[in-house]
Amino acid sequence: MIHSDMPQLRRTNTPDIRVLASTPPAPASGGRRTGSPSLASTAQTSVETEFYSPIPDGYVKGRTKYVVVIGTVMSGLGKGIFASSVAKVMKDKGLAVAPIKLEGYLNVDAGTLNPYRHGEVFVLDDGTECDMDLGTYERVLDQNMTGRNYITSGQIFSDVLTRERRGSYLGRDVQMIPHVTGEVKRKLRELAVTGGENGQPADVVFVEVGGTAGDYENGFYIEALRELAFEEGEGSTCFVALTYVIEPKALGEQKSKAAQLGIKRLMEAGIQPHIIACRAGNPVEDSARQKIAMFSNVPLNRVFSMHDRPSIYTIPDELRAEGLDREILSILELHDKVDAVHEDAARDRWRSFIIGLTSTKRNDLNVGILGKYTELRDAYASIDKALEHCSAHQPVRIEQHWLDTTDIVGPEDAARLLEGLDAVIVPGGFGTRGVEGKIEAVRHCRETGTPYLGICLGFQVAVIEFARNVLGQSEASSTEFGGSGPFVISELPEQKEIEGLGGTMRLGAQDIDLTAGTLASLLYQGESARERFRHRYEVEPDAIEALTQGGLVFSGRHPVHPIMQVLELPNARETGDDRPVHPFFFGAQFHPELTGRPLRPQPAFMGLIAAALARRHGEKHVRDPDRWLRRTNSNQPA
């Protein structure tokens, strides 16, 4: 019995399924069947056969191809970077691509994962909280992902159990094979139907299996993919083994044995890789490639060196130069679908970005990121990439300084920590550790004119600092941090009655109304924007009037509700108005780093870098200053 007061899982959209089936062939004379029927052709109903292969409506067998990337030896090799780079090369050729990440953990999503354990929580337009690899997919492909591009074991098991309770399996004993593996195949085929841009069918689905071959938690994914390749037929699936070639300093030479054994684990699971990509610090030597080829049944011309590069964004062109794209086209029989004109245009656009990224820069900037998880760069991967995009579009080399504010207890500490910085970013985060230090850092930036960008928590501590040091409310705080108040930051109204952490935040893309004539309207080139949110607290509505009268400008708001979403300070005021001014003081309740793309750098980050560049090196060094720099005038909203 299911009680109505039990908590409900977030993902309950488990549509009914149909099974691709036909009547099994009749026995030939002598009682033996002729031919070799496929899994799909022998499935009739779940209770009458051992075969189970769910097929979503609209799926056409053979229309979509699959490229599967599985890691060996160890995790953290960059499967997402490799998969997205290959997918970009195929997209440049005019093919519709759809990547998907298969995660082994039992969490329904990444929303409650600690960044120290799993890196950044990336938020999609539809509010899905997911793995940071989805951010890599979006940036490299310049294509928005959805919840369909991200699967966890928790989702799979939840959906299987929901179907079992509905009676969808027609009395069968529900098993890992075929029912759990069948659910994986169903999700992959659903993505094939709608995973292209604008919901169109995908020509190629790129599957990244989280973890490493041999892990317990991803074993059923690998089995499902083996079944999928068998059911779809020859030429339908390209398996890529991403492995690692070690180079111990004590030996001074590359060793391939770990790679050989890792690939062997994959082959033991029934997967024969078509291509092997070898990660290494240096280019993989021919001798190592030859050994790997010999022990894995893979031709030498399909064993590629994937050694370290200065930037992940150079990898697509290097894969193309190595001929990996041609091998995949041959394996999947896709040569006739290539649009050469489309490819040439896409390569020209990307080449311009790479030239800007890798060219020698005349100017330097030091940017401080005052985070909570500064020991782990992956916790702020999107900020790192947003700054990298800016360095391709402005003639500047950006040196990032990751700083912990825990030990800041006063203005002197803040001045010492931030000395020499040209700009400061305070990113999102939860909890009280380091918050007082961030507030002191914001005060230092506001009083010294250092360009400042506050993101989510950085937006909120900017409000608290302003209330304390401009309005004189020395005990101003947030209900998240406690204290006696007044509280200028409080929970969102819809969250105040909710307990727990999972699913209790304002998530996903939201519209923002921008005030004309403000810095926000300049950066976003209009009076509206759409950005992604992940927060539980907001500016207390009762505090807005006092903050505004004190000189803080809320230049971005929710279209309907009194939720402040962008703050700034003007760079000039009327004569006699001594309220604070600043060249670039900008706070966003949303996460602008999530929407930055290589060819379309994020406006808030570009504004920060342009302001810092002008302040240190002069406006003449800013590329397109009219686009990114605010001119001094006294008619700005106050």
Side-chain angles (χ1 to χ4, degrees):
M1 178 177 179
I2 299 178
H3 297 284
S4 60
D5 59 348
M6 290 181 65
Q8 297 298 304
L9 295 171
R10 282 195 236 182
R11 303 177 67 92
T12 58
N13 54 333
T14 51
D16 290 331
I17 55 176
R18 64 184 180 89
V19 178
L20 182 63
S22 61
T23 303
S29 59
R32 299 185 63 182
R33 298 188 188 279
T34 59
S36 300
S38 67
L39 294 180
S41 68
T42 55
Q44 189 169 19
T45 66
S46 181
V47 75
E48 293 178 0
T49 178
E50 294 301 314
F51 302 117
Y52 177 74
S53 187
I55 303 295
D57 290 337
Y59 186 78
V60 178
K61 181 180 177 181
R63 190 209 181 287
T64 299
K65 309 287 187 172
Y66 299 87
V67 175
V68 179
V69 180
I70 303 174
T72 71
V73 180
M74 65 182 187
S75 61
L77 293 180
K79 295 185 296 294
I81 294 171
F82 176 81
S84 59
S85 297
V86 179
K88 174 176 172 45
V89 173
M90 295 298 165
K91 183 177 180 179
D92 287 351
K93 297 179 185 296
L95 298 171
V97 301
I100 185 170
K101 177 73 179 286
L102 307 182
E103 284 285 12
Y105 50 73
L106 291 172
N107 306 64
V108 175
D109 59 32
T112 58
L113 295 180
N114 188 313
Y116 278 126
R117 296 191 61 85
H118 207 70
E120 174 185 64
V121 176
F122 194 82
V123 180
L124 304 179
D125 256 24
D126 63 5
T128 300
E129 297 173 283
C130 57
D131 184 87
M132 58 187 289
D133 281 333
L134 276 289
T136 303
Y137 299 157
E138 288 203 341
R139 288 187 286 268
V140 174
L141 295 174
D142 194 11
Q143 181 174 322
N144 283 348
M145 302 292 113
T146 71
R148 289 186 182 274
N149 301 96
Y150 170 72
I151 294 176
T152 69
S153 295
Q155 294 175 23
I156 296 292
F157 296 149
S158 297
D159 286 357
V160 169
L161 293 175
T162 298
R163 293 186 194 286
E164 189 276 331
R165 291 291 81 190
R166 288 181 183 173
S168 298
Y169 298 110
L170 303 178
R172 273 291 306 272
D173 47 330
V174 181
Q175 298 176 294
M176 292 295 292
I177 302 172
H179 299 101
V180 173
T181 55
E183 184 68 14
V184 175
K185 291 182 288 184
R186 180 181 71 81
K187 289 184 178 294
L188 294 175
R189 286 166 170 151
E190 284 179 345
L191 185 64
V193 174
T194 62
E197 288 191 275
N198 302 316
Q200 297 300 306
D203 294 313
V204 187
V205 170
F206 286 82
V207 185
E208 177 194 349
V209 181
T212 306
D215 292 347
Y216 285 112
E217 57 263 33
N218 67 14
F220 73 93
Y221 285 135
I222 294 175
E223 168 60 20
L225 291 163
R226 183 197 66 78
E227 295 174 14
L228 179 76
F230 180 71
E231 294 173 18
E232 294 292 319
E234 190 173 351
S236 66
T237 308
C238 173
F239 286 102
V240 181
L242 189 67
T243 192
Y244 187 65
V245 176
I246 62 176
E247 190 171 354
K249 291 184 178 180
L251 299 179
E253 62 177 321
Q254 293 181 339
K255 291 292 184 179
S256 64
K257 185 60 68 176
Q260 296 173 35
L261 295 176
I263 295 168
K264 182 181 179 182
R265 291 300 302 270
L266 185 59
M267 296 171 71
E268 288 172 351
I271 302 294
Q272 169 61 57
H274 300 88
I275 290 173
I276 295 176
C278 303
R279 289 284 291 113
N282 299 304
V284 179
E285 299 164 357
D286 286 345
S287 60
R289 292 175 54 243
Q290 291 166 5
K291 290 179 181 178
I292 292 170
M294 179 170 57
F295 282 98
S296 62
N297 304 325
V298 175
L300 182 60
N301 66 322
R302 290 182 177 173
V303 180
F304 294 89
S305 174
M306 283 294 300
H307 49 279
D308 292 348
R309 264 76 173 192
S311 170
I312 68 169
Y313 295 124
T314 64
I315 294 175
D317 281 345
E318 290 165 355
L319 293 179
R320 188 183 287 108
E322 293 289 329
L324 188 145
D325 57 332
R326 294 191 296 274
E327 295 299 329
I328 292 178
L329 290 173
S330 297
I331 293 166
L332 299 179
E333 301 173 355
L334 287 173
H335 282 287
D336 59 342
K337 284 195 171 185
V338 173
D339 184 339
V341 175
H342 185 280
E343 183 175 21
D344 288 344
R347 290 185 66 181
D348 285 344
R349 290 192 297 270
W350 194 255
R351 190 179 296 111
S352 296
F353 166 72
I354 295 300
I355 291 172
L357 184 67
T358 58
S359 62
T360 301
K361 305 297 195 300
R362 301 190 307 271
N363 305 304
D364 294 335
L365 283 181
N366 292 298
V367 177
I369 299 98
L370 313 186
K372 184 177 179 180
Y373 311 103
T374 52
E375 301 92 338
L376 183 69
R377 293 284 290 274
D378 277 354
Y380 304 104
S382 292
I383 290 177
D384 178 48
K385 293 304 172 188
L387 290 170
E388 186 176 357
H389 304 161
C390 292
S391 70
H393 293 269
Q394 289 290 350
V396 62
R397 184 174 66 87
I398 300 173
E399 192 70 35
Q400 299 179 24
H401 302 267
W402 299 80
L403 305 173
D404 188 347
T405 59
T406 303
D407 295 330
I408 296 179
V409 295
E412 297 81 10
D413 294 328
R416 190 180 310 112
L417 183 69
L418 304 184
E419 183 179 4
L421 295 181
D422 301 301
V424 168
I425 299 172
V426 174
F430 299 95
T432 60
R433 182 170 65 86
V435 165
E436 290 300 321
K438 291 180 175 63
I439 293 171
E440 287 295 342
V442 173
R443 178 179 184 176
H444 175 84
C445 292
R446 182 180 58 78
E447 293 180 345
T448 62
T450 303
Y452 173 79
L453 174 60
I455 298 171
C456 197
L457 176 63
F459 169 95
Q460 295 168 10
V461 294
V463 172
I464 295 171
E465 187 280 327
F466 195 88
R468 288 184 182 180
N469 300 310
V470 178
L471 302 186
Q473 300 175 5
S474 60
E475 299 299 319
S477 185
S478 165
T479 55
E480 179 182 8
F481 312 140
S484 59
F487 296 112
V488 292
I489 303 293
S490 63
E491 278 186 290
L492 289 163
E494 61 267 28
Q495 308 301 335
K496 291 181 179 178
E497 303 301 322
I498 299 177
E499 297 294 332
L501 294 175
T504 66
M505 287 188 288
R506 187 164 178 252
L507 292 166
Q510 305 280 341
D511 291 329
I512 307 167
D513 283 350
L514 304 177
T515 304
T518 60
L519 175 59
S521 67
L522 169 70
L523 296 177
Y524 284 89
Q525 297 286 281
E527 296 180 17
S528 65
R530 187 169 177 83
E531 290 284 2
R532 297 180 189 178
F533 291 77
R534 184 177 185 249
H535 68 109
R536 188 178 289 114
Y537 297 86
E538 63 163 339
V539 178
E540 169 58 48
D542 291 341
I544 294 172
E545 183 177 356
L547 291 164
T548 301
Q549 289 180 352
L552 194 61
V553 177
F554 290 109
S555 54
R557 305 181 179 216
H558 188 282
V560 177
H561 304 294
I563 300 176
M564 303 298 104
Q565 301 186 138
V566 181
L567 66 79
E568 61 184 73
L569 287 174
N571 63 346
R573 296 189 188 273
E574 297 282 357
T575 302
D577 188 343
D578 60 356
R579 292 179 298 175
V581 295
H582 198 282
F584 189 96
F585 191 89
F586 192 87
Q589 182 61 81
F590 52 85
H591 286 264
E593 71 274 21
L594 300 179
T595 56
R597 305 286 170 87
L599 302 184
R600 295 183 288 112
Q602 217 291 325
F605 282 85
M606 281 292 284
L608 176 76
I609 296 304
L613 191 57
R615 185 170 183 260
R616 175 173 173 181
H617 297 288
E619 186 176 315
K620 65 180 181 180
H621 292 279
V622 178
R623 184 176 298 159
D624 197 5
D626 291 335
R627 170 67 181 86
W628 299 113
L629 292 179
R630 177 172 51 176
R631 302 306 182 187
T632 302
N633 66 75
S634 59
N635 297 317
Q636 302 171 59

